[in-house]
Amino acid sequence: MAERDCRIAVLISGSGSNLQAILDGCASGAIPARVALVVSNRDDAAGLARARRAGVPATVVNHRRYPDRQSFDAALQAAIEAGGADLVVLAGFMRILGSGFVRHYQGRLLNIHPSLLPKYRGLDTHQRALAAGDVEAGATVHFVTDELDGGAPVLQASVSINEGDDAAALAARVLAREHIIYPLAVRWFAEGRLRLRDGRAWLDDTPLPLCGYRYEKDAAT
Ligand code: GRF
């Protein structure tokens, strides 16, 4: 980002631990950006308190108060535009966004999904990985497109599935990895190194692997 700091809007629905990891990254200087705004679609999202503690404006756009997705998306977009965001980060945001919204933010809209995409799009990812007898699980940061959890992957981190794991144990282990890879992807974007080009994520002058950069396998840059 050239003339001024990258400004980030973070959209949440719940605990906001990924939001916290990004706030911490900005505060420590690891991410050359600042969280300009946090928006929740739920009044009771615990992450709202994290934003307020960090001195970041936090607002609620509750989907229940809008008659349809289009008007909800429009209200969300208005809130984001008021904060002047360069990057929109979905961090546990549990609403599907319409194609107009997604197109508007194309190339500057990131999500984190708790599976090794393309496996297990949608919900209950950890339960599904356990039921399938997988030996590993993980999380993926990806650009958002119209297709649910289908946009270009940026970064993946995996954990092994251990004997006796239940979905909660697995989710906790994966979440700890999310807190590493999401701030890293945001850092790349804020440094102007991460782009979406022709449906593919690029880092510097190189297209990233189709499943994203594998955090453990390759040394982090
Ligand atoms: C994370 O597991 C994320 O992958 C998923 O929702 C969870 C959000 O956790 N989309 P938090 O609100 O960031 O703590």
Side-chain angles (χ1 to χ4, degrees), residues 6-7 108 210:
C6 173
R7 293 163 65 96
R108 49 199 188 103
L210 285 175

Side-chain angles (χ1 to χ4, degrees), residues 95-163:
R95 302 300 297 173
I96 292 176
L97 295 160
S99 57
F101 182 98
V102 168
R103 263 199 309 277
H104 182 81
Y105 290 105
Q106 186 158 36
R108 49 199 188 103
L109 182 57
L110 291 174
N111 182 41
I112 192 158
H113 182 72
S115 80
L116 295 170
L117 290 171
K119 274 190 159 182
Y120 313 129
R121 295 176 182 185
L123 298 174
D124 300 324
T125 54
H126 303 303
Q127 196 52 55
R128 287 154 71 197
L130 289 168
D134 291 356
V135 294
E136 62 168 9
T140 307
V141 178
H142 64 94
F143 281 106
V144 176
T145 59
D146 264 359
E147 204 184 333
L148 181 66
D149 302 323
V154 174
L155 255 172
Q156 281 193 328
S158 62
V159 301
S160 44
I161 296 183
N162 302 330
E163 202 150 325

